[in-house]
Amino acid sequence: MLVNKRKNQGRVNQIILEMKKARISKKITRYKLARDIGLSDSSIANIEELRQNPTLSTIIEMAISLNFDLPQALKENFPDTADEREGEEELLTLSPTFHLVVECLKQMDEETLQVIYKVARALNGR
């Protein structure tokens, strides 16, 4: 398991594990997912086994390929209100821009998410 000093690593790991569970329940192999997003199956394995931190574009690509509701997972794992955080410290490492991005993603249709996916792939050189 990937352990580091990042304050929110556990929450990020939870989203990755939820994506892995979605992949398995949809009977999509690591190999197919890797081919869909342009990574090696060993990279997918390392990400899913929490041995490697994926980039944001990789997370987005995985979510789109799996038809995984990333905005909902972000909302559940990074709640906006203090009541939902049940006394946790403020999430100072998450900027207002991050919250704006999450809100925008929640409102996007599939076609728009596909455009973002293509742009993310182009920016990643794939």
Side-chain angles (χ1 to χ4, degrees), residues 6-20:
R6 292 182 179 177
K7 182 176 180 178
N8 294 298
Q9 188 65 49
R11 293 172 184 212
V12 173
N13 288 350
Q14 182 60 39
I15 292 171
I16 292 168
L17 293 174
E18 289 171 17
M19 291 174 72
K20 176 182 178 181

Side-chain angles (χ1 to χ4, degrees), residues 7-37:
K7 182 176 180 178
N8 294 298
Q9 188 65 49
R11 293 172 184 212
V12 173
N13 288 350
Q14 182 60 39
I15 292 171
I16 292 168
L17 293 174
E18 289 171 17
M19 291 174 72
K20 176 182 178 181
K21 184 177 177 182
R23 178 187 62 75
I24 292 168
S25 73
K26 293 175 183 181
K27 298 182 177 164
I28 297 171
T29 65
R30 285 179 175 166
Y31 178 77
K32 180 178 179 347
L33 177 59
R35 283 184 44 135
D36 285 349
I37 67 173

Side-chain angles (χ1 to χ4, degrees), residues 71-97:
Q72 182 62 33
L74 288 167
K75 183 179 178 183
E76 290 171 1
N77 287 281
F78 293 92
D80 290 327
T81 66
D83 290 341
E84 290 173 318
R85 287 194 298 267
E86 299 178 355
E88 287 185 23
E89 294 178 24
E90 288 295 319
L91 299 175
L92 299 176
T93 58
L94 299 178
S95 70
T97 304

Side-chain angles (χ1 to χ4, degrees), residues 61-110:
E61 289 175 21
M62 289 173 66
I64 291 170
S65 182
L66 295 169
N67 198 24
F68 178 80
D69 192 348
L70 184 57
Q72 182 62 33
L74 288 167
K75 183 179 178 183
E76 290 171 1
N77 287 281
F78 293 92
D80 290 327
T81 66
D83 290 341
E84 290 173 318
R85 287 194 298 267
E86 299 178 355
E88 287 185 23
E89 294 178 24
E90 288 295 319
L91 299 175
L92 299 176
T93 58
L94 299 178
S95 70
T97 304
F98 176 83
H99 290 288
L100 179 62
V101 168
V102 170
E103 289 304 312
C104 289
L105 283 171
K106 285 192 262 182
Q107 298 174 16
M108 290 182 187
D109 58 75
E110 183 65 27

Side-chain angles (χ1 to χ4, degrees), residues 108-125:
M108 290 182 187
D109 58 75
E110 183 65 27
E111 185 177 332
T112 305
L113 288 172
Q114 287 296 328
V115 170
I116 291 172
Y117 169 72
K118 289 175 184 175
V119 170
R121 287 187 67 139
L123 290 173
N124 243 3

